Amino acid sequence: MGEIRFRLNGQTVRVSGVDPHTTALSWLRQQGWTGSKEGCAEGECGACAVLLLQPDGEGSRLEAVNGCLLLLPSLAGQEVWTVEGLSGNGNLHPAQQAMLQGGSQCGYCTPGFVVSMAAEYYRKGRKDFDLEALSGNLCRCTGYRPIRDAALELGQPTPDDPLARRCLETAPPLGPLHYQAGPTYLRPASLPELFQALERHPQARLVAGGTDVVVEVNQRFARAEVFLDLSALPELQTLRWGPDCIEIGAGVSLSEAEHWLNGRIPLLAEWFPLFASRLIRNRATLGGNLGTASPIGDGPPVLLALGAEVVLASAAGERVLPLERFFTGYRQTARQPGEVIRAVRIPLPLVPQARFYKVAKRRMDDISTVAAAFALRLEAGLVQHIRIGLGGVAATPVRAYQTEAFLQGKPWDGRTVRAAAEVIRGEFKPIDDHRGSAAYRTAMLGNLLHKFYAETAEVRV
């Protein structure tokens, strides 16, 4: 039923009869667009990167995303470019030309690097090249220095550059979609439409950015009878800084939230660069990160420390739940049938001292062994307020309530923190797994509290 229609490298494409579980990468390669490569099928290597045109104020922006994590129906109504579409009239794109001058080695990763470089090349207001744009691209030849040099040599787009001109125009809005080829893929355009779809299909798999769902499709061969795509819902795209709280829509990408906040929530500013890569953050959402209820997700500890609340919406209305009450068990939440996460709210004012620590085998683009976020307010050297959010030490993300209670009202000094470190080490019973032993995780809890103290010990408020 229905068809998928989108623009690919400037040409309109119509697709029907393709299983909704098919990724954009798989379909592209089947159609002969083999510049995009499959290296990992889980968004870690970036060899599959493609460009998507996204709304951006009065114009548009080009974002690099992982083609292996895009279900093909999600492209309906969108504009997409592959590495082949960057060149024109027999001329290489400046990013391609730059890589040709020594940046490319075996060549497998090159298309993905070129696409990520092109996205940064067209970023509005760019003066220097932000190397963070390449954080999701892996070079197995370890040729990062010449790739970096190629990126830093890029100049500015010329006035007649077709992609630069396209970014001056508005991206097409996403509309509703009903596509069926065996399984069904639905994209409602309003919350009432979503609630009707949920009533008809209570077991539907919700998809926001797809950075978790599509990994399961690729790696675990997970299958769903119905997908419900949330990306066209304006109610999930809110960004509001109010007098008493900040509201971030559950469907806002992490990159968009990062850009909008612009460092105004320091704890989130510390967290964003440590969450996967730019390619992933261009698709991943806060709602999806919370909805998966992973005990090792990095987002929940940060939001727990900030005292965040979850706004849950259903046909009956909305309810607001403190985040610590949202997680009810391993991969389980308080979300009821027919409910979706509409937004996350962070109360104001923010506490003055906050830090996020991620313990992992790699600092960047890795899953945490332990994640810890601390938020502290002192008065006359005494702990007036403290929240500690943790991941990787229990079946759910948790707050360290016993440690918080122990610290409340006490002097923020070495003696107090040494005693509090013993409390936090005994508060949880983590497990052994391939990322770290229970003993290691327990030790890290105390060590991270000591580290937080060392970085805030000079504070006198």
Side-chain angles (χ1 to χ4, degrees):
M1 180 186 296
E3 68 174 9
I4 306 162
R5 181 164 53 185
F6 59 96
R7 290 184 65 80
L8 174 63
N9 295 331
Q11 302 297 317
T12 299
V13 173
R14 292 176 170 83
V15 179
S16 60
V18 177
D19 190 308
H21 294 90
T22 303
T23 65
L25 173 64
S26 296
W27 183 85
L28 286 168
R29 294 186 60 79
Q30 291 165 10
Q31 303 304 307
W33 300 98
T34 55
S36 301
K37 304 293 191 290
E38 180 172 286
C40 67
E42 58 183 5
E44 285 201 37
C45 74
C48 62
V50 297
L51 289 176
L52 284 183
L53 190 73
Q54 299 293 311
D56 188 21
E58 296 181 356
S60 307
R61 67 179 183 274
L62 287 166
E63 284 188 341
V65 299
N66 290 294
C68 73
L69 298 184
L70 293 173
L71 294 176
L72 185 63
S74 71
L75 298 183
Q78 304 216 52
E79 295 187 37
V80 189
W81 284 266
T82 67
V83 67
E84 295 96 335
L86 294 176
S87 57
N89 300 321
N91 298 316
L92 292 177
H93 187 274
Q96 295 170 321
Q97 188 65 47
M99 286 289 282
L100 186 64
Q101 309 304 316
S104 178
Q105 295 193 38
C106 81
Y108 197 87
C109 71
T110 301
F113 270 102
V114 167
V115 168
S116 291
M117 288 168 64
E120 173 65 7
Y121 180 70
Y122 292 110
R123 177 169 58 86
K124 292 180 181 177
R126 176 179 66 86
K127 296 180 180 179
D128 300 319
F129 192 100
D130 182 4
L131 291 172
E132 174 68 16
L134 306 182
S135 62
N137 296 89
L138 173 65
C139 171
R140 291 173 176 83
C141 300
T142 65
Y144 291 109
R145 180 172 179 177
I147 292 171
R148 179 202 64 183
D149 292 345
L152 294 177
E153 289 174 3
L154 284 175
Q156 298 291 333
T158 59
D160 61 344
D161 186 303
L163 287 179
R165 292 203 308 269
R166 183 65 189 92
C167 288
L168 297 176
E169 303 168 356
T170 303
L174 291 181
L177 175 69
H178 186 144
Y179 175 77
Q180 187 171 8
T184 301
Y185 193 99
L186 302 175
R187 187 172 67 196
S190 69
L191 279 183
E193 290 179 22
L194 171 65
F195 298 143
Q196 291 173 12
L198 281 172
E199 187 175 0
R200 293 193 304 268
H201 308 286
Q203 302 305 315
R205 189 67 192 268
L206 301 181
V207 183
T211 56
D212 188 73
V213 170
V214 189
V215 172
E216 293 186 11
V217 169
N218 292 340
Q219 301 286 4
R220 301 178 184 174
F221 305 102
R223 293 296 181 261
E225 286 301 313
V226 179
F227 285 109
L228 265 176
D229 185 335
L230 309 179
S231 59
L233 299 170
E235 298 92 339
L236 271 61
Q237 298 295 324
T238 56
L239 287 168
R240 182 178 65 87
W241 192 292
D244 57 355
C245 75
I246 303 133
E247 181 172 293
I248 301 174
V252 175
S253 75
L254 296 185
S255 286
E256 188 175 357
E258 180 181 11
H259 176 73
W260 177 74
L261 288 169
N262 193 28
R264 290 183 291 174
I265 304 181
L267 190 55
L268 287 181
E270 284 190 11
W271 169 61
F272 282 131
L274 299 178
F275 186 98
S277 66
R278 178 61 65 196
L279 285 168
I280 295 292
R281 294 199 298 278
N282 284 343
R283 294 289 296 176
T285 64
L286 273 186
N289 193 240
L290 297 179
T292 59
S294 170
I296 50 175
D298 291 344
V302 173
L303 294 171
L304 284 169
L306 289 170
E309 299 174 325
V310 179
V311 182
L312 297 167
S314 70
E318 289 189 353
R319 64 187 179 111
V320 180
L321 203 62
L323 184 57
E324 52 263 41
R325 289 171 47 198
F326 180 70
F327 304 108
T328 59
Y330 178 73
R331 296 279 188 175
Q332 297 177 338
T333 72
R335 187 171 67 88
Q336 298 297 313
E339 279 188 325
V340 296
I341 304 172
R342 189 190 65 75
V344 174
R345 289 176 181 166
I346 298 170
L348 293 174
L350 301 171
V351 296
Q353 295 296 321
R355 299 287 191 281
F356 173 67
Y357 305 109
K358 177 170 181 164
V359 179
K361 296 185 184 300
R362 300 192 308 258
R363 176 170 170 78
M364 300 291 186
D365 200 7
D366 201 3
I367 295 172
S368 295
T369 303
V370 175
F374 300 86
L376 171 72
R377 177 182 290 112
L378 300 177
E379 288 187 2
L382 302 179
V383 176
Q384 192 270 333
H385 167 97
I386 188 164
R387 280 180 180 262
I388 303 172
L390 301 171
V393 297
T396 68
V398 290
R399 274 181 58 190
Y401 287 112
Q402 294 177 26
T403 308
E404 292 173 4
F406 177 84
L407 286 167
Q408 188 69 34
K410 289 186 172 62
W412 188 239
D413 58 24
R415 180 177 179 180
T416 298
V417 171
R418 284 192 295 273
E422 293 305 312
V423 175
I424 200 170
R425 288 186 182 115
E427 190 168 349
F428 304 99
K429 297 186 182 301
I431 63 171
D432 296 321
D433 64 18
H434 64 282
R435 293 190 182 90
S437 67
Y440 177 76
R441 287 183 161 99
T442 297
M444 283 300 101
L445 290 176
N447 291 356
L448 293 175
L449 180 59
H450 278 293
K451 183 173 183 178
F452 179 58
Y453 168 68
E455 294 180 356
T456 56
E458 298 305 316
V459 175
R460 292 290 183 269
V461 180

